Structures are given as structure tokens and as C-alpha cells.
Amino acid sequence: MKKVLVLFAHPKFEKSRANNILVNYIKDKEGVTFHDLYEQYPDFHIDVPFEKKLLEEHDVIIWHHPMYWYSCPPLLKQWIDMVLEFNWAYGPNGKALSSKICLNAITTGGSKELYCTQGTNSYTITEFLRPFEQTANLCLMNYHKPFTVMGTYKLTDDELEVYGAQYSSFIDGLQT
């Protein structure tokens, strides 16, 4: 069974109905390490050696976050900038993450109809996530299609429970 590291970054987690439900479905799964960056680093002082060790111990890396201004919350961006170092994660000697699976699990307030070429946001979620895909590629990881929950403001708790079960099954599939 592959070991999964969920790097969770949500600065207002306590107010997120969608993310609370998703997290409840996966945080205690066997083989899954749920790592809440905002809980771990409220002062933004990231323990880089600790984070590298976590990455080395896992086969699948999931950047789980809400879509914030077409990207991720600031602590996850800082994590990427600090932890994925030259000649460790990428560069001539940077092979620490080679062949690991990497993907995003994201929530958006906006619906799928807003995230398309005809929608208000003009681009698809996949297009907005290209920097994450390229980061994974640069680090020699295998980037997979994201797990997305869109239009979260309009979803009922029952609908969110379905997404929670899907997220759990999705992770099961990554582990095998």
C-alpha cells in the first residue's frame, strides 16, 4: 500500500463546511498522513528538514487547498518555495521526489460553469493548476488529475458527504 501525505492548507478551515467534510473522510485512513500546515506553522516558520523527511517517507503527495485567487493559500506557496530546494527536489542532483505521485485536491466557491473558457474566470481548473503541474514535473514527480469539489457554497451537506466518500475512494485508488 502506498503511503499518502495530504499537505492541507486552509487559513479558515474552521469556517469551511466542504473541507471539514472532506478531511473527516480521509484524516484517519490507514496509510494517510494528514498534515495541516496552518495548524503546524501558524507563524509561517516552516521546519524544512522535517518537511523533507515527511516527503521522503511518502509515495503520494496531495496539495489539498481551497482555490485562493486562482492559486493556493500563501502558506502552501511558501512551503513550496522553501521545501522544494534546488539540488534536493530539482536540479542536477535533485532527485528526492523522483517518481512520486503528486496532485491537487481543491475546493472552489465558484461552480464548474465559471471555470471554463465561456465562464467568468475564462480558464479551466486544469489551466489554473498548470504551475503545480510544472512544479511536479520539475521535481520529477508524476502529476495526476486533481480531485475537485466546485460550487461549494451551493452544495448541501448531503452532497458534500458524497464528495467526502468519493475523496476517500479516490485516495484508496492512489494507494493501490
Side-chain angles (χ1 to χ4, degrees):
M1 174 190 303
K2 290 184 177 133
K3 290 179 68 180
V4 177
L5 175 61
V6 177
L7 293 166
F8 181 73
H10 198 313
K12 300 280 186 185
F13 180 39
E14 69 281 358
K15 294 184 178 184
S16 175
R17 235 174 13 104
N19 282 286
N20 270 289
I21 289 172
L22 293 174
V23 166
N24 282 336
Y25 271 87
I26 58 97
K27 69 179 180 177
D28 297 319
K29 286 179 75 64
E30 183 181 350
V32 173
T33 301
F34 177 76
H35 186 44
D36 185 336
L37 295 177
Y38 277 89
E39 183 177 295
Q40 183 79 26
Y41 303 114
D43 57 5
F44 278 58
H45 296 298
I46 296 169
D47 182 345
V48 173
F50 174 77
E51 296 299 319
K52 286 180 175 180
K53 186 174 184 304
L54 267 180
L55 288 169
E56 289 170 345
E57 293 171 348
H58 292 83
D59 309 297
V60 179
I61 314 304
I62 299 177
W63 291 313
H64 181 150
H65 60 92
M67 185 65 84
Y68 261 44
W69 284 102
Y70 311 110
S71 188
C72 62
L75 184 54
L76 181 54
K77 177 62 169 96
Q78 182 172 333
W79 183 95
I80 290 168
D81 291 344
M82 308 251 334
V83 176
L84 303 182
E85 293 180 325
F86 180 75
N87 273 339
W88 182 79
Y90 69 99
N93 300 312
K95 310 226 184 308
L97 305 175
S98 180
S99 300
K100 292 184 185 285
I101 294 169
C102 184
L103 62 117
N104 297 81
I106 61 163
T107 56
T108 66
S111 67
K112 193 173 188 173
E113 293 74 31
L114 296 176
Y115 285 95
C116 65
T117 53
Q118 296 80 26
T120 306
N121 293 317
S122 303
Y123 300 97
T124 66
I125 287 296
T126 302
E127 290 170 307
F128 281 118
L129 294 176
R130 288 280 187 243
F132 295 96
E133 180 178 2
Q134 182 53 28
T135 297
N137 290 339
L138 184 65
C139 296
L140 305 174
M141 293 188 280
N142 298 314
Y143 188 77
H144 286 216
K145 180 180 163 189
F147 179 86
T148 59
V149 181
M150 302 172 77
T152 58
Y153 295 121
K154 293 183 179 178
L155 296 175
T156 66
D157 286 347
D158 287 343
E159 290 169 320
L160 289 171
E161 292 288 341
V162 170
Y163 277 108
Q166 289 173 350
Y167 190 30
S168 180
S169 295
F170 181 78
I171 288 177
D172 291 343
L174 292 168
Q175 289 181 304
T176 58

